[in-house]
Amino acid sequence: MTKGYWIARVDVRDAEAYKDYVAANGAAFAKFGGRFLVRGGAHEAVMGPARSRNVVIEFPSYADALACWNSDLYQAAKAKQRGGVEAEILVIEGYDGPQPSVSEPAPEAAAASE
C-alpha cells in the first residue's frame, strides 16, 4: 500500500489564529498516523512563486490522508484558523514504483554533431 501525503504551501495572515490551529491539529494527525516530514524550514523557490511556510505530512496510506482531512477532528482544528491563512493544500497518493537509475552519460554535444 502506498503512503499518502499532505503538501501545504501557506502564508499566515493572522498569527494568533494560526497558533490556535497548530495547537489543535495534532490530535487529528496522531489519530490518522500523520508524521511531519517538512514543517517550515529553509527553502528556496527555484520555479514559480513561493509561500512563507511549507509543510509535508506523511500518512500510512492515501485513504488515511483523505480521512484525516475529512474528519470532524481536523475540520474543527481548521476552523480555528478563522481565515487567517492563504494556502494551497494537496492530498496526494505516494509513488511506490521504479526509480531512476544511473545509466551511461548522454553523448557530448560536439560528438553528436560529428
Side-chain angles (χ1 to χ4, degrees), residues 41-114:
H43 67 278
E44 184 173 332
V46 295
M47 186 173 182
R51 294 258 186 208
S52 60
R53 185 165 178 78
N54 301 287
V55 178
V56 178
I57 305 171
E58 179 184 74
F59 291 86
S61 70
Y62 177 65
D64 290 321
L66 277 177
C68 183
W69 176 264
N70 291 314
S71 72
D72 291 341
L73 194 56
Y74 180 73
Q75 291 303 314
K78 187 168 140 298
K80 294 180 183 286
Q81 291 176 359
R82 299 185 296 277
V85 299
E86 281 186 42
E88 292 88 31
I89 301 173
L90 299 172
V91 178
I92 189 164
E93 183 177 31
Y95 176 72
D96 197 20
Q99 295 294 326
S101 61
V102 177
S103 61
E104 290 186 34
E108 300 266 341
S113 64
E114 293 176 4

Side-chain angles (χ1 to χ4, degrees), residues 17-49:
Y18 194 72
K19 281 199 295 192
D20 292 344
Y21 160 73
V22 169
N25 67 18
F29 298 149
K31 179 178 179 179
F32 292 94
R35 181 175 83 97
F36 286 96
L37 300 180
V38 174
R39 191 173 192 183
H43 67 278
E44 184 173 332
V46 295
M47 186 173 182

